Amino acid sequence: MEHLVTLRRDLHAHPEPGYQEQRTSDIVAHFLQELGIEVYRGIGKTGVVGVLQKGQSDRMIGLRADMDALPMQDNGTVPWKSTIAGMCHACGHDGHTVMLLGAAEQLARKVDFDGRVCFIFQPAEEGLAGAKAMLDDGLFNRFPCEAVYAIHNWPELPLGEAQTRPGAIMAAADRFDITVKGDGGHAAQPHLTHDTLLATSELVVQLNTLVARALDPCEPGLLTVTKIQGGFSHNMIPAEASITGTVRTFSPAAQDVIETRLRQLARHVTAAHGLQAEVNYLRYYPATVNSAAEAQCALEALKRAGLAAKTAAQPALTSEDFAFMLQARPGAYLWLGSAPSKPLHHSAYDFNDALIPYGINAFVALVRDALAKKFPC
């Protein structure tokens, strides 16, 4: 494992943002080529695909890892902390990349199977829809995977414990931006203007009641205001103020309800203050929905490989653009326990290197079972 740990830490020290993973994709492509794996580049801008054929079957299984980092400062203390200001592998994509490379190494050198494995190294998972970009570039037309799988480290679970579930496992993610517009004025003469900050404050409170009062109580949903901006002086009422936040749901119907009611709230609350609201609402990731058969196959494959694997009790309200791939092909998204570690997106997060062999074994188990006659998925 030494060379894989060294590589993971090198990637951690050199994070790259979405669609700019040039150094990372170079490393991935070279690693695969050294194994004799066919390599295809430039799919989804900086995406890399490797194809390994063994036996005579034309069946193909896809395995996906993400490569991009987050635009945040690395506040960790490890010697391999980020060398790039304002850029950090705070979600473990460096570890995901290395786990899939390690699986490619095992499958190329030591594991017999009958068919093809498609290793998908995806750019721009963090909000930029790199999975969709790869699909738009013909990913599954060029590489006709019959099923596709992805693994994400999960600090909430014990080290090496895997979980997945049929149906929704991650939420749809929407972003809203509301700009409250008025004319501004002197803070000592509020009767001569309309108070954008007061209206914005009231709107924030009303937005936080929306899910509880607009959705069926049995329908999961979440709305969180994450940014409020307005004003630049202690004695002026600003002409504009803004609110930004996120909405998480598991069904298009719930998305429709929340977006409609959010627009109504923004319009009516601001109108009551003599102001106007401009609303931008973006549905950027759909819910990540596993196909039932592939989720069950994944759990059985991991158990046969000796990993602790169980059905997840409930989905998470975080989101994933692997959702786009699961809309195009059957498959499953799995969590793999990485505790102890910092939470995902923590500024001092560092991937737990002890997880690498578990991830490799999980990927190899998926291929071995899916492309074996004894346990066909």
Side-chain angles (χ1 to χ4, degrees), residues 64 87 143 154 157 164 167 179 193-194 201 217 294:
R64 173 270 207 174
M87 192 59 53
F143 312 100
W154 212 245
L157 296 178
T164 192
T179 303
T193 188
H194 300 89
S201 299
E294 281 65 30

Side-chain angles (χ1 to χ4, degrees), residues 88-163:
C88 176
H89 266 301
C91 200
H93 297 184
D94 50 344
H96 302 164
T97 297
V98 168
M99 289 193 307
L100 188 52
L101 288 174
E105 188 171 31
Q106 290 291 309
L107 289 165
R109 293 179 175 172
K110 298 182 178 181
V111 178
D112 289 328
F113 57 87
D114 188 18
R116 293 174 293 169
V117 182
C118 181
F119 304 100
I120 303 167
F121 293 88
Q122 180 208 303
E125 187 279 326
E126 296 288 356
L128 297 175
K132 186 175 185 301
M134 295 190 83
L135 292 172
D136 290 344
D137 270 357
L139 175 66
F140 290 141
N141 294 326
R142 297 175 62 181
F143 312 100
C145 299
E146 62 184 57
V148 62
Y149 299 91
I151 294 174
H152 201 294
N153 79 97
W154 212 245
E156 290 92 330
L157 296 178
L159 180 66
E161 179 181 303
Q163 290 191 12

Side-chain angles (χ1 to χ4, degrees), residues 194-213:
H194 300 89
D195 195 332
T196 53
L197 294 182
L198 180 59
T200 298
S201 299
E202 184 176 334
L203 183 54
V204 168
V205 173
Q206 290 299 319
L207 287 172
N208 278 282
T209 70
L210 195 154
V211 169
R213 288 295 172 262

Side-chain angles (χ1 to χ4, degrees), residues 265-297:
L265 274 177
R267 182 169 68 252
H268 293 306
V269 169
T270 53
H273 289 267
L275 300 163
Q276 293 181 326
E278 179 181 287
V279 179
N280 290 311
Y281 195 99
L282 174 64
R283 303 185 185 193
Y284 62 95
Y285 285 173
T288 304
V289 181
N290 291 333
S291 49
E294 281 65 30
Q296 186 60 38
C297 278

Side-chain angles (χ1 to χ4, degrees), residues 10-325:
D10 174 77
L11 294 178
H12 190 88
H14 301 90
E16 296 175 300
Y19 298 124
Q20 298 178 45
E21 306 95 338
Q22 192 60 54
R23 181 181 184 274
T24 305
S25 62
D26 286 344
I27 290 171
V28 167
H30 178 75
F31 192 104
L32 296 175
Q33 287 166 344
E34 288 291 302
L35 295 170
I37 295 174
E38 294 180 14
V39 173
Y40 304 85
R41 303 193 60 176
I43 303 168
K45 296 185 180 178
T46 47
V48 180
V49 171
V51 177
L52 174 63
Q53 171 82 54
K54 287 190 176 183
Q56 302 302 314
S57 174
D58 60 358
R59 297 181 61 210
M60 176 179 280
I61 299 299
L63 305 176
R64 173 270 207 174
D66 35 20
M67 301 187 293
D68 59 320
L70 283 158
M72 58 189 291
Q73 188 63 33
D74 188 345
N75 292 323
T77 58
V78 295
W80 51 88
K81 68 179 291 186
S82 173
T83 60
I84 311 298
M87 192 59 53
C88 176
H89 266 301
C91 200
H93 297 184
D94 50 344
H96 302 164
T97 297
V98 168
M99 289 193 307
L100 188 52
L101 288 174
E105 188 171 31
Q106 290 291 309
L107 289 165
R109 293 179 175 172
K110 298 182 178 181
V111 178
D112 289 328
F113 57 87
D114 188 18
R116 293 174 293 169
V117 182
C118 181
F119 304 100
I120 303 167
F121 293 88
Q122 180 208 303
E125 187 279 326
E126 296 288 356
L128 297 175
K132 186 175 185 301
M134 295 190 83
L135 292 172
D136 290 344
D137 270 357
L139 175 66
F140 290 141
N141 294 326
R142 297 175 62 181
F143 312 100
C145 299
E146 62 184 57
V148 62
Y149 299 91
I151 294 174
H152 201 294
N153 79 97
W154 212 245
E156 290 92 330
L157 296 178
L159 180 66
E161 179 181 303
Q163 290 191 12
T164 192
R165 66 194 310 274
I169 189 168
M170 304 278 270
D174 304 342
R175 169 179 173 158
F176 62 86
D177 295 274
I178 303 172
T179 303
V180 178
K181 296 184 175 184
D183 45 12
H186 201 294
Q189 298 176 310
H191 59 296
L192 299 180
T193 188
H194 300 89
D195 195 332
T196 53
L197 294 182
L198 180 59
T200 298
S201 299
E202 184 176 334
L203 183 54
V204 168
V205 173
Q206 290 299 319
L207 287 172
N208 278 282
T209 70
L210 195 154
V211 169
R213 288 295 172 262
L215 285 185
D216 184 317
C218 296
E219 175 76 43
L222 173 73
L223 184 152
T224 302
V225 174
T226 57
K227 184 170 68 172
I228 305 171
Q229 288 185 318
F232 49 87
S233 171
H234 81 284
N235 62 352
M236 293 182 66
I237 296 173
E240 286 191 3
S242 65
I243 304 169
T244 295
T246 187
V247 172
R248 305 299 170 103
T249 54
F250 291 99
S251 73
Q255 284 179 298
D256 292 342
V257 169
I258 291 181
E259 179 178 355
T260 298
R261 292 291 295 272
L262 181 146
R263 291 182 181 276
Q264 290 172 345
L265 274 177
R267 182 169 68 252
H268 293 306
V269 169
T270 53
H273 289 267
L275 300 163
Q276 293 181 326
E278 179 181 287
V279 179
N280 290 311
Y281 195 99
L282 174 64
R283 303 185 185 193
Y284 62 95
Y285 285 173
T288 304
V289 181
N290 291 333
S291 49
E294 281 65 30
Q296 186 60 38
C297 278
L299 289 172
E300 292 174 1
L302 269 58
K303 289 177 183 177
R304 279 192 283 269
L307 281 80
K310 61 179 66 174
T311 301
Q314 59 189 20
L317 284 159
T318 46
S319 65
E320 243 287 354
D321 74 344
F322 188 63
F324 292 110
M325 293 192 185

